[in-house]
Amino acid sequence: MSSQTYKPGSYPNLPPPPGTVGVYGWIKNNLFSSISNSLLTIISAILLYYLIDGIIGWFFLDAVFDADSKIECRKIDSGACWAVITRRVGQFVYGFYPEVERWRIDVSFLTMFVAFAPLLYPDIPKRKWLLWFSAIYPVFAFILINGGFFGLAKIEYSLFGGFMLTVILGVSGIVCSLPLGIVLALGRQSKLTVVRTLSVCFIEFMRGVPLITLLFVASSMLNYFMPPGTNFSILVRVIIMFTFFSAAYIAEVIRGGIQAIPKGQYEAADALGMTYWQKTRFITLPQALKISIPGIMNTFIGLYKDTTLVVVIGLLDPLGIGRAALADTKWNGLSTETYLFVALFFFVSCFAMSRYSLWLESKLNTDHK
Amino acid sequence: MVNTKTKSITKPVIEIHGMHKWFGNFHVLKNISLAVNQGERIVICGPSGSGKSTLIRCINRLEVHQQGDIIVNDIELTGDLKNLEAIRSDVGMVFQSFNLFPHLTVLENCTLAPIWVKGLPKKEANELAMELLTRVKIPEQALKFPGQLSGGQQQRVAIARSLCMQPKIMLFDEPTSALDPEMIKEVLDTMIELAETGMTMLVVTHEMGFAKKVADSVIFMDEGEIIEQNDPKKFFNNPQNERTKLFLSQILNH
Ligand SMILES: Nc1ncnc2c1ncn2[C@@H]1O[C@H](COP(=O)(O)OP(=O)(O)O)[C@@H](O)[C@H]1O
Ligand SMILES: [Mg+2]
């Protein structure tokens, strides 16, 4: 082929040489590109085989899924004793929320996806209608979970626990901290000195204090600063603290996004006669938020995992439930199973957030479509 | 030659009297006086850093002058300007680096300001935008994003975006300087067509062919001053000032 001659201007597009593209090409280039690389590939494959073999054995093949105690587990098989989880799965999910009322949590949780869908996926059909539901969802969920209206029994906050508590704290904190973070980021860039100073002080204070301190403040002192007569429940106080804390981080992430926007964007908007708020809404925020997606998502995931810290002020998040289970003499010593289970729950939630953010980034990427 | 070159004797749409501007201590514009009539096309040239951009940016108040008067469309640009947005929507501007909004489609770039600044209904704004995109010969790109277009196409979109505000005056700040050579012509042709519609234009450019063809008057600036202003024939054939001669010899014979 290469010996053939073409008239200038008539050279055809030829396929690449064999073995450089496709599956075979990929394997050759990535796994066996040199002797040392090939060795490494083979050794890794062997290690991986033993590792996976052991993991599958312990997790599934030799595991016990139902038993009355750890001792009984050990009699049945040598692998994991998941009975500590299966026997207490209700507590892990709902805390001490009364069993007959648990449907209220289920309904709130499932409808949460309906409420989030139009916010997370802009192209969803019937979005306008769904957004109405998103708007009323907080009230809806509050009434359902908290009770005290429409004949629903009022449930004490002290009974909340488990994954349900994590989701309540995490989702409320995430939903509230994004708008607050945006306001703080804009405030920090404001031309008005008072607004700017207040924003800077708030951000720097929140970032300069460990979250756990804020939680102690929430549990003991926050009511002291509130107007007399108001008495927020501990749960609300904790949500406020999570919101403030992560809003400060989000504000800084978004500020980075705002500063990455070229000056020419504002000049073009100015030249078209746009006002400050029009520029903010149509030019600054869409671009700044898009740039900030990875950083914002990072903060969200951090907040979500930090909800486990509420265990220090006596709230029973999944770790707290796990510790209660381990304190039971029947299950004593099964911490590996317990903590792995809790870790799995967090991993699934956080991995979903992470994938969503990657999807959103690529969707909003208008540079090379 | 553009045939609308008859000077109208109406009141100037832009009047600048004894205007000065400083950046800190740096005296960037010195005693600028200039009058631009309705439909007049003025080309501004001069060495880099001479204050050309700053001058035209003062006209829509992207830069604020400290002394002298600038009157645009009978409204004086002063500190306590209430309706700056209104003035700006009458004065379109095209930048060297296009400055299109990358997160919006070409069509949305064109309709954003008409809808929100002028309050045009969306349907009308879309029709107007399509009409102007057709005028700059890229209606088929309306639903693409700026990043998918060539430089020349982007600059034509930027022109269409400005025209969608139906401005009375258009300012151009080196609109072809960031373009690859093969794209300069398409943008200049668009500008020439715009000139033929009778638009008042102030153009900072070093495209002397464009100046000869379109300008009613050419201004040469250096070190913050207007050194010379003349009609293009006299300006190019018989420049008066030594600095103008030097500048012209530098850009014409390279
Ligand atoms: N925002 C600014 N702050 C300080 N100096 C500036 C600013 N903008 C421009 N200058 C200076 O003012 C002078 C004139 O700039 P400019 O009007 O952009 O020149 P031109 O467009 O003729 O090349 C240059 O010396 C430039 O460095
Ligand atoms: Mg310039």
mmCIF file with all atom_site columns, all heavy atoms in Angstrom, chain A residues 110-127:
data_model
loop_
_atom_site.group_PDB
_atom_site.id
_atom_site.type_symbol
_atom_site.label_atom_id
_atom_site.label_alt_id
_atom_site.label_comp_id
_atom_site.label_asym_id
_atom_site.label_entity_id
_atom_site.label_seq_id
_atom_site.pdbx_PDB_ins_code
_atom_site.Cartn_x
_atom_site.Cartn_y
_atom_site.Cartn_z
_atom_site.occupancy
_atom_site.B_iso_or_equiv
_atom_site.pdbx_formal_charge
_atom_site.auth_seq_id
_atom_site.auth_comp_id
_atom_site.auth_asym_id
_atom_site.auth_atom_id
_atom_site.pdbx_PDB_model_num
ATOM 1   N N   . LEU A 1 110 ? -39.440 7.958  49.233 1.00 0.00 ? 110 LEU A N   1
ATOM 2   C CA  . LEU A 1 110 ? -39.700 7.706  47.809 1.00 0.00 ? 110 LEU A CA  1
ATOM 3   C C   . LEU A 1 110 ? -40.114 8.983  47.087 1.00 0.00 ? 110 LEU A C   1
ATOM 4   O O   . LEU A 1 110 ? -39.643 9.261  45.986 1.00 0.00 ? 110 LEU A O   1
ATOM 5   C CB  . LEU A 1 110 ? -40.769 6.616  47.656 1.00 0.00 ? 110 LEU A CB  1
ATOM 6   C CG  . LEU A 1 110 ? -40.294 5.239  48.133 1.00 0.00 ? 110 LEU A CG  1
ATOM 7   C CD1 . LEU A 1 110 ? -41.425 4.218  48.056 1.00 0.00 ? 110 LEU A CD1 1
ATOM 8   C CD2 . LEU A 1 110 ? -39.093 4.769  47.309 1.00 0.00 ? 110 LEU A CD2 1
ATOM 9   N N   . THR A 1 111 ? -40.976 9.779  47.732 1.00 0.00 ? 111 THR A N   1
ATOM 10  C CA  . THR A 1 111 ? -41.412 11.005 47.057 1.00 0.00 ? 111 THR A CA  1
ATOM 11  C C   . THR A 1 111 ? -40.274 12.016 46.954 1.00 0.00 ? 111 THR A C   1
ATOM 12  O O   . THR A 1 111 ? -40.305 12.906 46.117 1.00 0.00 ? 111 THR A O   1
ATOM 13  C CB  . THR A 1 111 ? -42.602 11.654 47.781 1.00 0.00 ? 111 THR A CB  1
ATOM 14  O OG1 . THR A 1 111 ? -42.294 11.720 49.175 1.00 0.00 ? 111 THR A OG1 1
ATOM 15  C CG2 . THR A 1 111 ? -43.871 10.873 47.572 1.00 0.00 ? 111 THR A CG2 1
ATOM 16  N N   . MET A 1 112 ? -39.258 11.856 47.788 1.00 0.00 ? 112 MET A N   1
ATOM 17  C CA  . MET A 1 112 ? -38.100 12.744 47.690 1.00 0.00 ? 112 MET A CA  1
ATOM 18  C C   . MET A 1 112 ? -37.483 12.677 46.294 1.00 0.00 ? 112 MET A C   1
ATOM 19  O O   . MET A 1 112 ? -37.074 13.693 45.737 1.00 0.00 ? 112 MET A O   1
ATOM 20  C CB  . MET A 1 112 ? -37.059 12.357 48.740 1.00 0.00 ? 112 MET A CB  1
ATOM 21  C CG  . MET A 1 112 ? -35.842 13.242 48.747 1.00 0.00 ? 112 MET A CG  1
ATOM 22  S SD  . MET A 1 112 ? -34.697 12.759 50.044 1.00 0.00 ? 112 MET A SD  1
ATOM 23  C CE  . MET A 1 112 ? -33.849 11.404 49.253 1.00 0.00 ? 112 MET A CE  1
ATOM 24  N N   . PHE A 1 113 ? -37.467 11.470 45.719 1.00 0.00 ? 113 PHE A N   1
ATOM 25  C CA  . PHE A 1 113 ? -36.888 11.344 44.376 1.00 0.00 ? 113 PHE A CA  1
ATOM 26  C C   . PHE A 1 113 ? -37.735 12.090 43.351 1.00 0.00 ? 113 PHE A C   1
ATOM 27  O O   . PHE A 1 113 ? -37.208 12.698 42.425 1.00 0.00 ? 113 PHE A O   1
ATOM 28  C CB  . PHE A 1 113 ? -36.739 9.868  43.993 1.00 0.00 ? 113 PHE A CB  1
ATOM 29  C CG  . PHE A 1 113 ? -35.685 9.174  44.812 1.00 0.00 ? 113 PHE A CG  1
ATOM 30  C CD1 . PHE A 1 113 ? -36.026 8.422  45.916 1.00 0.00 ? 113 PHE A CD1 1
ATOM 31  C CD2 . PHE A 1 113 ? -34.342 9.324  44.491 1.00 0.00 ? 113 PHE A CD2 1
ATOM 32  C CE1 . PHE A 1 113 ? -35.048 7.811  46.693 1.00 0.00 ? 113 PHE A CE1 1
ATOM 33  C CE2 . PHE A 1 113 ? -33.366 8.711  45.252 1.00 0.00 ? 113 PHE A CE2 1
ATOM 34  C CZ  . PHE A 1 113 ? -33.718 7.950  46.362 1.00 0.00 ? 113 PHE A CZ  1
ATOM 35  N N   . VAL A 1 114 ? -39.060 12.045 43.541 1.00 0.00 ? 114 VAL A N   1
ATOM 36  C CA  . VAL A 1 114 ? -39.930 12.785 42.631 1.00 0.00 ? 114 VAL A CA  1
ATOM 37  C C   . VAL A 1 114 ? -39.660 14.279 42.774 1.00 0.00 ? 114 VAL A C   1
ATOM 38  O O   . VAL A 1 114 ? -39.605 15.022 41.792 1.00 0.00 ? 114 VAL A O   1
ATOM 39  C CB  . VAL A 1 114 ? -41.408 12.474 42.941 1.00 0.00 ? 114 VAL A CB  1
ATOM 40  C CG1 . VAL A 1 114 ? -42.317 13.211 41.965 1.00 0.00 ? 114 VAL A CG1 1
ATOM 41  C CG2 . VAL A 1 114 ? -41.655 10.979 42.890 1.00 0.00 ? 114 VAL A CG2 1
ATOM 42  N N   . ALA A 1 115 ? -39.461 14.729 44.028 1.00 0.00 ? 115 ALA A N   1
ATOM 43  C CA  . ALA A 1 115 ? -39.233 16.155 44.255 1.00 0.00 ? 115 ALA A CA  1
ATOM 44  C C   . ALA A 1 115 ? -37.887 16.598 43.686 1.00 0.00 ? 115 ALA A C   1
ATOM 45  O O   . ALA A 1 115 ? -37.747 17.722 43.192 1.00 0.00 ? 115 ALA A O   1
ATOM 46  C CB  . ALA A 1 115 ? -39.290 16.461 45.749 1.00 0.00 ? 115 ALA A CB  1
ATOM 47  N N   . PHE A 1 116 ? -36.896 15.738 43.741 1.00 0.00 ? 116 PHE A N   1
ATOM 48  C CA  . PHE A 1 116 ? -35.566 16.118 43.262 1.00 0.00 ? 116 PHE A CA  1
ATOM 49  C C   . PHE A 1 116 ? -35.438 16.000 41.749 1.00 0.00 ? 116 PHE A C   1
ATOM 50  O O   . PHE A 1 116 ? -34.637 16.718 41.143 1.00 0.00 ? 116 PHE A O   1
ATOM 51  C CB  . PHE A 1 116 ? -34.488 15.258 43.925 1.00 0.00 ? 116 PHE A CB  1
ATOM 52  C CG  . PHE A 1 116 ? -33.973 15.864 45.186 1.00 0.00 ? 116 PHE A CG  1
ATOM 53  C CD1 . PHE A 1 116 ? -34.113 15.218 46.411 1.00 0.00 ? 116 PHE A CD1 1
ATOM 54  C CD2 . PHE A 1 116 ? -33.333 17.101 45.154 1.00 0.00 ? 116 PHE A CD2 1
ATOM 55  C CE1 . PHE A 1 116 ? -33.640 15.790 47.584 1.00 0.00 ? 116 PHE A CE1 1
ATOM 56  C CE2 . PHE A 1 116 ? -32.858 17.675 46.313 1.00 0.00 ? 116 PHE A CE2 1
ATOM 57  C CZ  . PHE A 1 116 ? -33.011 17.023 47.531 1.00 0.00 ? 116 PHE A CZ  1
ATOM 58  N N   . ALA A 1 117 ? -36.214 15.098 41.152 1.00 0.00 ? 117 ALA A N   1
ATOM 59  C CA  . ALA A 1 117 ? -36.036 14.840 39.718 1.00 0.00 ? 117 ALA A CA  1
ATOM 60  C C   . ALA A 1 117 ? -36.022 16.110 38.870 1.00 0.00 ? 117 ALA A C   1
ATOM 61  O O   . ALA A 1 117 ? -35.094 16.306 38.091 1.00 0.00 ? 117 ALA A O   1
ATOM 62  C CB  . ALA A 1 117 ? -37.098 13.858 39.236 1.00 0.00 ? 117 ALA A CB  1
ATOM 63  N N   . PRO A 1 118 ? -37.007 17.003 39.016 1.00 0.00 ? 118 PRO A N   1
ATOM 64  C CA  . PRO A 1 118 ? -36.990 18.169 38.127 1.00 0.00 ? 118 PRO A CA  1
ATOM 65  C C   . PRO A 1 118 ? -35.826 19.127 38.432 1.00 0.00 ? 118 PRO A C   1
ATOM 66  O O   . PRO A 1 118 ? -35.434 19.902 37.570 1.00 0.00 ? 118 PRO A O   1
ATOM 67  C CB  . PRO A 1 118 ? -38.334 18.845 38.402 1.00 0.00 ? 118 PRO A CB  1
ATOM 68  C CG  . PRO A 1 118 ? -38.740 18.371 39.730 1.00 0.00 ? 118 PRO A CG  1
ATOM 69  C CD  . PRO A 1 118 ? -38.177 16.992 39.892 1.00 0.00 ? 118 PRO A CD  1
ATOM 70  N N   . LEU A 1 119 ? -35.307 19.059 39.655 1.00 0.00 ? 119 LEU A N   1
ATOM 71  C CA  . LEU A 1 119 ? -34.168 19.934 39.975 1.00 0.00 ? 119 LEU A CA  1
ATOM 72  C C   . LEU A 1 119 ? -32.879 19.359 39.406 1.00 0.00 ? 119 LEU A C   1
ATOM 73  O O   . LEU A 1 119 ? -32.010 20.087 38.944 1.00 0.00 ? 119 LEU A O   1
ATOM 74  C CB  . LEU A 1 119 ? -34.030 20.096 41.494 1.00 0.00 ? 119 LEU A CB  1
ATOM 75  C CG  . LEU A 1 119 ? -35.232 20.716 42.195 1.00 0.00 ? 119 LEU A CG  1
ATOM 76  C CD1 . LEU A 1 119 ? -35.060 20.665 43.705 1.00 0.00 ? 119 LEU A CD1 1
ATOM 77  C CD2 . LEU A 1 119 ? -35.420 22.148 41.743 1.00 0.00 ? 119 LEU A CD2 1
ATOM 78  N N   . LEU A 1 120 ? -32.760 18.035 39.460 1.00 0.00 ? 120 LEU A N   1
ATOM 79  C CA  . LEU A 1 120 ? -31.510 17.412 39.034 1.00 0.00 ? 120 LEU A CA  1
ATOM 80  C C   . LEU A 1 120 ? -31.454 17.180 37.532 1.00 0.00 ? 120 LEU A C   1
ATOM 81  O O   . LEU A 1 120 ? -30.379 17.193 36.943 1.00 0.00 ? 120 LEU A O   1
ATOM 82  C CB  . LEU A 1 120 ? -31.321 16.072 39.761 1.00 0.00 ? 120 LEU A CB  1
ATOM 83  C CG  . LEU A 1 120 ? -31.219 16.143 41.279 1.00 0.00 ? 120 LEU A CG  1
ATOM 84  C CD1 . LEU A 1 120 ? -31.002 14.767 41.866 1.00 0.00 ? 120 LEU A CD1 1
ATOM 85  C CD2 . LEU A 1 120 ? -30.084 17.060 41.689 1.00 0.00 ? 120 LEU A CD2 1
ATOM 86  N N   . TYR A 1 121 ? -32.622 16.945 36.914 1.00 0.00 ? 121 TYR A N   1
ATOM 87  C CA  . TYR A 1 121 ? -32.641 16.656 35.477 1.00 0.00 ? 121 TYR A CA  1
ATOM 88  C C   . TYR A 1 121 ? -33.487 17.681 34.744 1.00 0.00 ? 121 TYR A C   1
ATOM 89  O O   . TYR A 1 121 ? -34.708 17.556 34.692 1.00 0.00 ? 121 TYR A O   1
ATOM 90  C CB  . TYR A 1 121 ? -33.170 15.238 35.227 1.00 0.00 ? 121 TYR A CB  1
ATOM 91  C CG  . TYR A 1 121 ? -32.346 14.190 35.908 1.00 0.00 ? 121 TYR A CG  1
ATOM 92  C CD1 . TYR A 1 121 ? -32.741 13.630 37.111 1.00 0.00 ? 121 TYR A CD1 1
ATOM 93  C CD2 . TYR A 1 121 ? -31.132 13.790 35.346 1.00 0.00 ? 121 TYR A CD2 1
ATOM 94  C CE1 . TYR A 1 121 ? -31.952 12.692 37.756 1.00 0.00 ? 121 TYR A CE1 1
ATOM 95  C CE2 . TYR A 1 121 ? -30.339 12.851 35.978 1.00 0.00 ? 121 TYR A CE2 1
ATOM 96  C CZ  . TYR A 1 121 ? -30.755 12.304 37.178 1.00 0.00 ? 121 TYR A CZ  1
ATOM 97  O OH  . TYR A 1 121 ? -29.970 11.388 37.812 1.00 0.00 ? 121 TYR A OH  1
ATOM 98  N N   . PRO A 1 122 ? -32.862 18.698 34.175 1.00 0.00 ? 122 PRO A N   1
ATOM 99  C CA  . PRO A 1 122 ? -33.620 19.791 33.567 1.00 0.00 ? 122 PRO A CA  1
ATOM 100 C C   . PRO A 1 122 ? -34.468 19.357 32.376 1.00 0.00 ? 122 PRO A C   1
ATOM 101 O O   . PRO A 1 122 ? -35.415 20.049 32.015 1.00 0.00 ? 122 PRO A O   1
ATOM 102 C CB  . PRO A 1 122 ? -32.538 20.768 33.094 1.00 0.00 ? 122 PRO A CB  1
ATOM 103 C CG  . PRO A 1 122 ? -31.273 20.320 33.744 1.00 0.00 ? 122 PRO A CG  1
ATOM 104 C CD  . PRO A 1 122 ? -31.413 18.884 34.080 1.00 0.00 ? 122 PRO A CD  1
ATOM 105 N N   . ASP A 1 123 ? -34.160 18.213 31.758 1.00 0.00 ? 123 ASP A N   1
ATOM 106 C CA  . ASP A 1 123 ? -34.888 17.842 30.546 1.00 0.00 ? 123 ASP A CA  1
ATOM 107 C C   . ASP A 1 123 ? -36.065 16.918 30.815 1.00 0.00 ? 123 ASP A C   1
ATOM 108 O O   . ASP A 1 123 ? -36.671 16.388 29.892 1.00 0.00 ? 123 ASP A O   1
ATOM 109 C CB  . ASP A 1 123 ? -33.947 17.127 29.562 1.00 0.00 ? 123 ASP A CB  1
ATOM 110 C CG  . ASP A 1 123 ? -32.808 18.037 29.167 1.00 0.00 ? 123 ASP A CG  1
ATOM 111 O OD1 . ASP A 1 123 ? -33.030 19.269 29.181 1.00 0.00 ? 123 ASP A OD1 1
ATOM 112 O OD2 . ASP A 1 123 ? -31.716 17.530 28.864 1.00 0.00 ? 123 ASP A OD2 1
ATOM 113 N N   . ILE A 1 124 ? -36.384 16.706 32.085 1.00 0.00 ? 124 ILE A N   1
ATOM 114 C CA  . ILE A 1 124 ? -37.419 15.740 32.416 1.00 0.00 ? 124 ILE A CA  1
ATOM 115 C C   . ILE A 1 124 ? -38.778 16.216 31.884 1.00 0.00 ? 124 ILE A C   1
ATOM 116 O O   . ILE A 1 124 ? -39.050 17.416 31.864 1.00 0.00 ? 124 ILE A O   1
ATOM 117 C CB  . ILE A 1 124 ? -37.455 15.548 33.951 1.00 0.00 ? 124 ILE A CB  1
ATOM 118 C CG1 . ILE A 1 124 ? -38.005 14.181 34.312 1.00 0.00 ? 124 ILE A CG1 1
ATOM 119 C CG2 . ILE A 1 124 ? -38.254 16.643 34.626 1.00 0.00 ? 124 ILE A CG2 1
ATOM 120 C CD1 . ILE A 1 124 ? -37.658 13.798 35.732 1.00 0.00 ? 124 ILE A CD1 1
ATOM 121 N N   . PRO A 1 125 ? -39.632 15.283 31.386 1.00 0.00 ? 125 PRO A N   1
ATOM 122 C CA  . PRO A 1 125 ? -40.955 15.732 30.919 1.00 0.00 ? 125 PRO A CA  1
ATOM 123 C C   . PRO A 1 125 ? -41.824 16.231 32.078 1.00 0.00 ? 125 PRO A C   1
ATOM 124 O O   . PRO A 1 125 ? -41.643 15.823 33.221 1.00 0.00 ? 125 PRO A O   1
ATOM 125 C CB  . PRO A 1 125 ? -41.547 14.466 30.276 1.00 0.00 ? 125 PRO A CB  1
ATOM 126 C CG  . PRO A 1 125 ? -40.731 13.331 30.771 1.00 0.00 ? 125 PRO A CG  1
ATOM 127 C CD  . PRO A 1 125 ? -39.390 13.866 31.135 1.00 0.00 ? 125 PRO A CD  1
ATOM 128 N N   . LYS A 1 126 ? -42.738 17.120 31.778 1.00 0.00 ? 126 LYS A N   1
ATOM 129 C CA  . LYS A 1 126 ? -43.662 17.702 32.768 1.00 0.00 ? 126 LYS A CA  1
ATOM 130 C C   . LYS A 1 126 ? -42.908 18.404 33.903 1.00 0.00 ? 126 LYS A C   1
ATOM 131 O O   . LYS A 1 126 ? -43.336 18.411 35.046 1.00 0.00 ? 126 LYS A O   1
ATOM 132 C CB  . LYS A 1 126 ? -44.568 16.613 33.388 1.00 0.00 ? 126 LYS A CB  1
ATOM 133 C CG  . LYS A 1 126 ? -45.447 15.877 32.394 1.00 0.00 ? 126 LYS A CG  1
ATOM 134 C CD  . LYS A 1 126 ? -46.903 16.160 32.700 1.00 0.00 ? 126 LYS A CD  1
ATOM 135 C CE  . LYS A 1 126 ? -47.896 15.336 31.906 1.00 0.00 ? 126 LYS A CE  1
ATOM 136 N NZ  . LYS A 1 126 ? -47.554 14.902 30.577 1.00 0.00 ? 126 LYS A NZ  1
ATOM 137 N N   . ARG A 1 127 ? -41.781 19.000 33.580 1.00 0.00 ? 127 ARG A N   1
ATOM 138 C CA  . ARG A 1 127 ? -40.928 19.549 34.623 1.00 0.00 ? 127 ARG A CA  1
ATOM 139 C C   . ARG A 1 127 ? -41.642 20.630 35.429 1.00 0.00 ? 127 ARG A C   1
ATOM 140 O O   . ARG A 1 127 ? -41.518 20.700 36.648 1.00 0.00 ? 127 ARG A O   1
ATOM 141 C CB  . ARG A 1 127 ? -39.645 20.124 33.981 1.00 0.00 ? 127 ARG A CB  1
ATOM 142 C CG  . ARG A 1 127 ? -38.715 20.755 34.969 1.00 0.00 ? 127 ARG A CG  1
ATOM 143 C CD  . ARG A 1 127 ? -37.305 20.828 34.437 1.00 0.00 ? 127 ARG A CD  1
ATOM 144 N NE  . ARG A 1 127 ? -36.412 21.311 35.471 1.00 0.00 ? 127 ARG A NE  1
ATOM 145 C CZ  . ARG A 1 127 ? -35.897 22.532 35.488 1.00 0.00 ? 127 ARG A CZ  1
ATOM 146 N NH1 . ARG A 1 127 ? -36.155 23.373 34.517 1.00 0.00 ? 127 ARG A NH1 1
ATOM 147 N NH2 . ARG A 1 127 ? -35.101 22.904 36.472 1.00 0.00 ? 127 ARG A NH2 1
#
